[in-house]
């Protein structure tokens, strides 16, 4: 049966499953209007669930903000089957994880493009390198395709080297790697001036040491 023809499903169970699986979200209950509010630790995403909603009444409201003190960027409401709501919540949670993991690239003004299922950040300057996120692979935990590809040289499909990570790689792990991509320094082989000459290595001047990004805190959740 297609999802759009499915039964409403158990929304109470969906809420509990979402909060159990997403350690970055914390809930509180507003007993006056029987609503549960789930907040992301960044305070930029919020999901509200109305326990008293019936039939076609709005059961879910999802809202996103650019910052904890900014105006609303977008919101959505749903009275759909649980499978549709689950896809919505998973997509929102994934988008937040991507934003956190790639914040060093964004802060360093790496070129950001979206092409179908791929989100790519490319290094500025003369040396090619980048980070690519595959949204399709990220939704398929058992897929052999990598969700993240970090590469150096040429393009993502013809790279000099590559690091690939599967779906559900920890956000902090990807964040530390992207931080190293932005701030890290290394040596590079230089071709000799003559065929018989020695191979030289050049070492760039030490870069100012920047503090690494803070590890993500996983707040406790009240029930």
């Amino acid at each position: 049966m297609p999802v759009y023809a499915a039964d409403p499903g158990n929304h109470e169970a969906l809420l509990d499953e979402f909060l159990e699986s997403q350690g970055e979200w914390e809930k509180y209950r507003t007993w006056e209007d029987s609503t549960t509010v789930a907040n992301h630790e960044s305070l930029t995403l919020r999901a509200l669930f109305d326990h008293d909603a019936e039939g076609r009444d709005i059961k879910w409201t999802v809202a996103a903000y650019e910052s904890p003190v900014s105006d609303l960027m977008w919101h959505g409401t749903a009275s759909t089957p649980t499978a549709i709501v689950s896809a919505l919540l998973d997509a929102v949670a994934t988008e937040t994880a991507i934003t956190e993991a790639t914040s060093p690239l964004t802060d360093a003004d790496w070129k950001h493009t979206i092409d179908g299922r791929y989100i790519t950040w490319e290094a500025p300057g003369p040396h090619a390198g980048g980070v690519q996120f595959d949204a399709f692979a990220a939704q398929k935990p058992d897929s052999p395709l990598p969700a993240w590809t970090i590469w150096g040289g040429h393009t993502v499909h013809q790279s000099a080297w590559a690091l690939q990570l599967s779906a559900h790689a920890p956000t902090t792990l990807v964040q530390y790697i992207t931080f190293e991509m932005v701030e890290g320094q290394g040596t590079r082989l230089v071709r000799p001036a003559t065929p018989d000459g020695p191979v030289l290595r050049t070492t760039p001047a030490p870069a100012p040491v920047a503090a690494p990004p803070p590890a993500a805190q996983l707040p406790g959740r009240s029930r």
Side-chain angles (χ1 to χ4, degrees):
M1 176 181 293
V3 66
Y4 52 80
D7 292 333
N10 188 336
H11 287 261
E12 298 276 355
L14 173 61
L15 173 65
D16 291 339
E17 291 170 4
F18 176 75
L19 290 168
E20 286 292 338
S21 65
Q22 299 293 333
E24 299 84 8
W25 292 71
E26 185 177 32
K27 81 168 185 178
Y28 65 90
R29 181 77 175 266
T30 57
W31 296 102
E32 309 83 49
D33 57 4
S34 299
T35 299
T36 289
V37 180
N39 278 324
H40 186 263
E41 62 182 8
S42 66
L43 302 181
T44 60
L45 290 169
R46 181 175 299 166
L48 292 81
F49 175 69
D50 185 349
H51 295 267
D52 291 340
E54 298 179 355
R56 295 179 61 184
D57 294 342
I58 294 173
K59 296 180 179 64
W60 295 87
T61 300
V62 179
Y65 304 83
E66 187 173 358
S67 73
V69 295
S70 70
D71 294 332
L72 179 69
M73 286 199 309
W74 65 268
H75 80 284
T77 59
S79 57
T80 62
T82 52
I84 298 295
V85 177
S86 179
L88 170 64
L89 295 175
D90 288 346
V92 169
T94 299
E95 180 63 29
T96 303
I98 294 171
T99 300
E100 293 177 358
T102 60
S103 59
L105 309 178
T106 302
D107 293 343
D109 294 326
W110 282 38
K111 182 182 178 182
H112 177 207
T113 58
I114 300 176
D115 182 10
R117 63 195 249 189
Y118 298 108
I119 305 174
T120 306
W121 294 260
E122 295 181 85
H127 304 298
V131 176
Q132 184 178 86
F133 177 77
D134 184 342
F136 176 81
Q139 296 300 319
K140 305 284 185 179
D142 298 329
S143 171
L145 297 174
W148 293 95
T149 300
I150 297 95
W151 85 91
H154 309 297
T155 67
V156 64
H157 299 298
Q158 296 179 324
S159 59
W161 62 264
L163 166 66
Q164 296 181 326
L165 301 171
S166 64
H168 302 313
T171 299
T172 50
L173 184 153
V174 181
Q175 188 180 53
Y176 270 85
I177 293 173
T178 57
F179 178 84
E180 183 64 19
M181 288 285 283
V182 171
E183 299 290 345
Q185 298 290 321
T187 60
R188 186 181 183 190
L189 288 172
V190 178
R191 293 181 180 178
T194 63
D196 298 326
V199 174
L200 303 177
R201 291 179 183 270
T202 60
T203 303
V209 177
Q217 299 297 317
L218 304 181
R221 298 186 298 278
S222 60
R223 290 283 182 269

